[in-house]
Amino acid sequence: MLRDRAMQRTLGLFFRRQRDRRRRGLTCCPGDKMNNVDIVYTMATNLKKTGEMDVGQVGFVKDKEVRKMHVASRDNDIIRRLNKTREERKPDLIVEREERDRQERLKQRKVTQEQKEREKEEDKRRREEAERRSYTNLMKAENMKSNLDQDDDDDFM
């Protein structure tokens, strides 16, 4: 019984240390240091996970969308260069979403404003066309002449 408690304490300490190392980012996956490895690339939407699968086991919805690449040996030079250029950023998703929404609203507002201007111009053009075709300009008093005001020439013939 004493041995079991000691084992539990040791395992508990081990798991706490492991958890702390994981939080600090000090652990790495075992495949990172292996040679002669197959790497599988696929979209996240192509992954299939069912309830009867083991932990860490996944399947694929469409096998045609899976890309496999074989790596014979680990190349530390490439990994070191990649790690030097690695850029980890923690984006503020709420601010980015609000900025994107603001940009979309501005675009939409601009489109609707242009559409209203085009409609105004079209309406103005239609009114001018209708005014040119109407007879209201012809029937004004200043344009009309009376027969009574004219001099009749009797010697016309």
Short mmCIF file of all heavy atoms in Angstrom, two decimals, residues 75-82:
data_model
loop_
_atom_site.label_atom_id
_atom_site.label_comp_id
_atom_site.label_asym_id
_atom_site.label_seq_id
_atom_site.Cartn_x
_atom_site.Cartn_y
_atom_site.Cartn_z
N ASP A 75 16.37 17.26 -41.73
CA ASP A 75 17.42 18.20 -42.12
C ASP A 75 17.41 19.36 -41.12
O ASP A 75 16.56 20.24 -41.17
CB ASP A 75 17.18 18.70 -43.54
CG ASP A 75 18.38 19.40 -44.11
OD1 ASP A 75 19.38 19.57 -43.39
OD2 ASP A 75 18.34 19.77 -45.29
N ASN A 76 18.38 19.33 -40.19
CA ASN A 76 18.40 20.33 -39.12
C ASN A 76 18.66 21.74 -39.64
O ASN A 76 18.18 22.71 -39.05
CB ASN A 76 19.46 19.97 -38.07
CG ASN A 76 19.02 18.79 -37.23
OD1 ASN A 76 17.82 18.57 -37.06
ND2 ASN A 76 19.96 18.03 -36.71
N ASP A 77 19.44 21.88 -40.71
CA ASP A 77 19.72 23.22 -41.24
C ASP A 77 18.45 23.92 -41.69
O ASP A 77 18.23 25.11 -41.40
CB ASP A 77 20.70 23.13 -42.42
CG ASP A 77 22.07 22.62 -41.99
OD1 ASP A 77 22.41 22.83 -40.81
OD2 ASP A 77 22.77 22.05 -42.85
N ILE A 78 17.62 23.19 -42.40
CA ILE A 78 16.36 23.76 -42.87
C ILE A 78 15.47 24.11 -41.69
O ILE A 78 14.87 25.19 -41.63
CB ILE A 78 15.64 22.79 -43.83
CG1 ILE A 78 16.48 22.61 -45.09
CG2 ILE A 78 14.24 23.28 -44.16
CD1 ILE A 78 15.95 21.56 -46.02
N ILE A 79 15.41 23.22 -40.71
CA ILE A 79 14.56 23.46 -39.54
C ILE A 79 15.05 24.67 -38.77
O ILE A 79 14.26 25.50 -38.32
CB ILE A 79 14.52 22.20 -38.66
CG1 ILE A 79 13.78 21.10 -39.42
CG2 ILE A 79 13.83 22.50 -37.34
CD1 ILE A 79 13.81 19.77 -38.77
N ARG A 80 16.36 24.82 -38.62
CA ARG A 80 16.90 25.98 -37.91
C ARG A 80 16.56 27.28 -38.66
O ARG A 80 16.17 28.27 -38.05
CB ARG A 80 18.42 25.85 -37.76
CG ARG A 80 18.79 25.15 -36.47
CD ARG A 80 20.28 25.30 -36.21
NE ARG A 80 20.79 23.95 -36.03
CZ ARG A 80 21.63 23.32 -36.84
NH1 ARG A 80 22.11 23.94 -37.89
NH2 ARG A 80 22.00 22.09 -36.60
N ARG A 81 16.71 27.27 -39.99
CA ARG A 81 16.37 28.47 -40.76
C ARG A 81 14.88 28.79 -40.66
O ARG A 81 14.50 29.95 -40.57
CB ARG A 81 16.77 28.29 -42.22
CG ARG A 81 18.23 28.63 -42.47
CD ARG A 81 18.56 28.61 -43.92
NE ARG A 81 19.01 27.25 -44.23
CZ ARG A 81 18.84 26.63 -45.38
NH1 ARG A 81 18.25 27.25 -46.37
NH2 ARG A 81 19.25 25.40 -45.57
N LEU A 82 14.06 27.76 -40.68
CA LEU A 82 12.62 27.98 -40.54
C LEU A 82 12.29 28.54 -39.16
O LEU A 82 11.45 29.43 -39.03
CB LEU A 82 11.86 26.69 -40.78
CG LEU A 82 11.77 26.22 -42.23
CD1 LEU A 82 11.13 24.85 -42.29
CD2 LEU A 82 11.00 27.21 -43.06
#
